[in-house]
């Protein structure tokens, strides 16, 4: 196992650092301090050939251009907050409107666009990088100084652990997630419509046309969202013109449990996602439209990558019936997601 650190650019007078983690079986993960972002992820297929299975860019500078959160850490609140506002303890807070009338992924300058402090971590079975960021009181409209840590750890058993910790000095809302776009054939190798997906969720949160939940929690049974048995992603897309962009209510709540599994038959690559979060957003890359040229000059068309974003439900600050995202002084926000790479 080894970690390498290099300088990858400069931003606002600060150094952009890139870390490469490699385990004994040969998995390689690259991470940078801008956005605590996963830049690439090389994993073997069933023959042992490595491919980079995440979308992104070859240079730091390209991450500053049109970039739909490739590999980023998303916060302070991942996903949407309706009308970009909430009331907490009787006080109203106005956030940035960066998705029509709504707030998306932490605002104009979310956690994906800030420089995080770094520290190499690890032990005999894993190695990684711990990223820390202090989000000041009032940033993007949120109350409280929020101290956050995101640690990525690559294990010898081909798991990537992403763990989150946060604490605050005023009551606030927190919902952190990871936003990698995966294509298990390899980044830029066509679309993900033939991948087979299973999501361990019997319910989902229906949304309005601006993708804000209606407050209902409905059964997936007899809908295009029923992935309780493994289904090919493209199979029912003709019934869902916009594509998938839905929050699933995971059956396993609170404990670390298997949330989703994706198998790609050509390469034999299998991805399992475990999380302690109550929900997962399945997004099928609907807004990718061929205008982004990514790594190795590959053009990213519609459905060229999928995201599985473990999270609390969208708009929870305005939905009293959803699991709470409030964090108060003295409490610790903790969350863990594991991406496990296998072949079959
Ligand atoms: C999330 C959202 C999508 C979209 C992408 C980024 O997955 O749910 O609607 O905003 O991020 O493009």
């Amino acid at each position: 196992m080894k970690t390498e650190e290099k300088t990858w650019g400069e931003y606002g007078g600060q150094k952009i650092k890139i870390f490469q983690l490699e385990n004994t079986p040969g998995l390689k993960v690259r991470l940078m301090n801008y956005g605590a972002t996963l830049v690439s992820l090389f994993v073997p297929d069933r023959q042992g050939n490595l491919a980079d299975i995440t979308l992104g860019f070859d240079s730091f500078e390209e991450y500053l251009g049109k970039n739909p959160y490739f590999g980023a850490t998303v916060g302070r609140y991942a996903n949407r907050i309706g009308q970009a506002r909430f009331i907490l303890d009787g006080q109203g807070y106005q956030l940035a409107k960066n998705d029509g009338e709504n707030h998306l992924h932490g605002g104009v300058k979310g956690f994906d666009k800030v420089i995080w402090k770094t520290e190499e971590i690890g032990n005999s079975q894993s190695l990684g990088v711990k990223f820390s960021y202090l989000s000041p009181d009032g940033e993007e409209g949120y109350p409280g100084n929020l101290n956050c840590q995101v640690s990525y750890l690559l294990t010898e058993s081909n798991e990537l652990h992403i763990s989150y910790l946060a604490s605050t000095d005023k009551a606030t809302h927190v919902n952190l997630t990871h936003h990698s776009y995966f294509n298990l054939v390899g980044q830029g190798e066509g679309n993900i419509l033939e991948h087979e997906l299973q999501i361990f969720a019997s319910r989902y949160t229906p949304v309005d046309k601006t993708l804000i939940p209606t407050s209902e929690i409905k059964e997936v049974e007899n809908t295009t969202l029923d992935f309780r048995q493994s289904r090919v992603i493209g199979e029912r897309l003709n019934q869902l013109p916009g594509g998938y962009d839905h929050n699933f209510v995971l059956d396993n709540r609170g404990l670390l449990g298997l949330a989703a599994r994706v198998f790609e038959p050509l390469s034999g690559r299998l991805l399992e996602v475990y999380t302690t979060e109550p929900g997962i957003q399945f997004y099928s890359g609907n807004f990718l439209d061929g205008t982004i040229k990514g790594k190795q000059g590959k053009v990213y068309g519609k459905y060229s990558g999928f995201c599985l974003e473990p999270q609390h439900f969208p708009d929870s600050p305005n939905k009293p019936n959803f699991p709470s995202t409030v964090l108060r002084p003295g409490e610790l926000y903790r969350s863990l997601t594991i991406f496990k790479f296998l072949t079959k």
Side-chain angles (χ1 to χ4, degrees):
M1 287 195 295
K2 60 171 191 266
T3 307
E4 272 171 28
E5 183 187 329
K6 283 191 185 146
T7 299
W8 209 37
E10 211 199 273
Y11 181 68
Q14 279 179 282
K15 227 199 243 176
I16 300 302
K17 295 185 204 167
I18 189 155
F19 297 82
Q20 178 166 298
L21 317 173
E22 186 172 348
N23 68 5
T24 311
L27 261 81
K28 276 190 266 182
V29 182
R30 291 164 78 223
L31 304 164
M32 70 164 157
N33 57 344
Y34 177 80
T37 299
L38 185 154
V39 172
S40 42
L41 183 54
F42 288 87
V43 307
D45 65 8
R46 62 162 83 82
Q47 262 92 46
N49 301 312
L50 289 181
D52 183 358
I53 59 159
T54 59
L55 278 53
F57 300 106
D58 287 327
S59 70
F60 165 64
E61 290 70 28
E62 289 166 287
Y63 279 88
L64 302 173
K66 189 174 175 191
N67 170 12
Y69 306 91
F70 286 148
T73 295
V74 180
R76 184 177 298 200
Y77 196 97
N79 215 310
R80 294 172 177 77
I81 297 180
Q83 300 296 314
R85 61 181 183 222
F86 58 81
I87 295 169
L88 180 56
D89 296 339
Q91 164 118 31
Y93 294 95
Q94 183 64 54
L95 310 170
K97 292 184 176 175
N98 61 329
D99 190 49
E101 288 300 297
N102 303 324
H103 178 83
L104 174 68
H105 290 338
V108 178
K109 191 170 180 193
F111 290 3
D112 59 299
K113 297 183 186 67
V114 300
I115 308 263
W116 296 64
K117 288 202 178 112
T118 61
E119 186 191 326
E120 290 184 25
I121 51 173
N123 54 41
S124 62
Q125 281 308 303
S126 59
L127 44 84
V129 181
K130 178 160 91 186
F131 295 94
S132 336
Y133 176 62
L134 175 65
S135 169
D137 188 9
E139 188 177 45
E140 297 292 318
Y142 291 97
N145 290 296
L146 187 76
N147 225 318
C148 306
Q149 283 178 8
V150 180
S151 299
Y152 290 82
L153 263 185
L154 176 65
T155 72
E156 287 291 63
S157 50
N158 292 352
E159 294 177 359
L160 181 65
H161 292 215
I162 309 180
S163 57
Y164 305 84
L165 287 178
S167 57
T168 184
D169 58 3
K170 272 186 202 163
T172 190
H173 283 283
V174 187
N175 185 27
L176 304 176
T177 196
H178 179 76
H179 211 294
S180 275
Y181 289 68
F182 297 97
N183 182 329
L184 300 185
V185 184
Q187 68 84 25
E189 300 294 327
N191 64 43
I192 48 82
L193 299 183
E194 298 297 321
H195 287 48
E196 297 166 15
L197 169 68
Q198 191 172 12
I199 304 179
F200 299 89
S202 328
R203 296 176 301 158
Y204 73 107
T205 51
V207 288
D208 67 18
K209 22 178 218 320
T210 71
L211 301 180
I212 297 297
T214 58
S215 291
E216 300 153 285
I217 295 186
K218 281 198 170 157
E219 299 290 321
V220 295
E221 189 157 22
N222 299 321
T223 74
T224 51
L225 303 178
D226 191 349
F227 284 99
R228 289 174 300 170
Q229 304 293 324
S230 176
R231 302 289 285 255
V232 170
I233 291 176
E235 187 183 336
R236 294 165 293 180
L237 264 183
N238 59 344
Q239 297 166 50
L240 203 68
Y244 291 98
D245 198 354
H246 296 82
N247 172 60
F248 290 76
V249 176
L250 294 169
D251 292 335
N252 182 343
R253 300 268 295 264
L255 302 170
L256 181 66
L258 182 58
R261 186 183 269 148
V262 190
F263 177 62
E264 197 290 303
L266 284 176
S267 64
R269 290 193 182 91
L270 172 67
L271 165 67
E272 288 181 345
V273 185
Y274 297 80
T275 189
T276 54
E277 288 297 307
I280 197 164
Q281 185 86 4
F282 169 49
Y283 170 58
S284 54
N286 319 323
F287 300 129
L288 297 171
D289 59 3
T291 55
I292 297 180
K293 211 185 251 179
K295 296 172 195 169
Q296 302 186 311
K298 302 276 186 179
V299 172
Y300 297 146
K302 196 168 182 182
Y303 309 135
S304 56
F306 67 87
C307 303
L308 283 167
E309 305 157 57
Q311 59 174 10
H312 270 59
F313 308 167
D315 203 28
S316 300
N318 297 306
K319 301 287 189 294
N321 60 320
F322 288 178
S324 172
T325 51
V326 176
L327 183 72
R328 296 186 181 279
E331 296 175 346
L332 191 60
Y333 169 94
R334 296 170 79 102
S335 173
L336 171 65
T337 288
I338 298 176
F339 293 106
K340 185 172 173 72
F341 304 98
L342 305 141
T343 56
K344 104 175 174 191

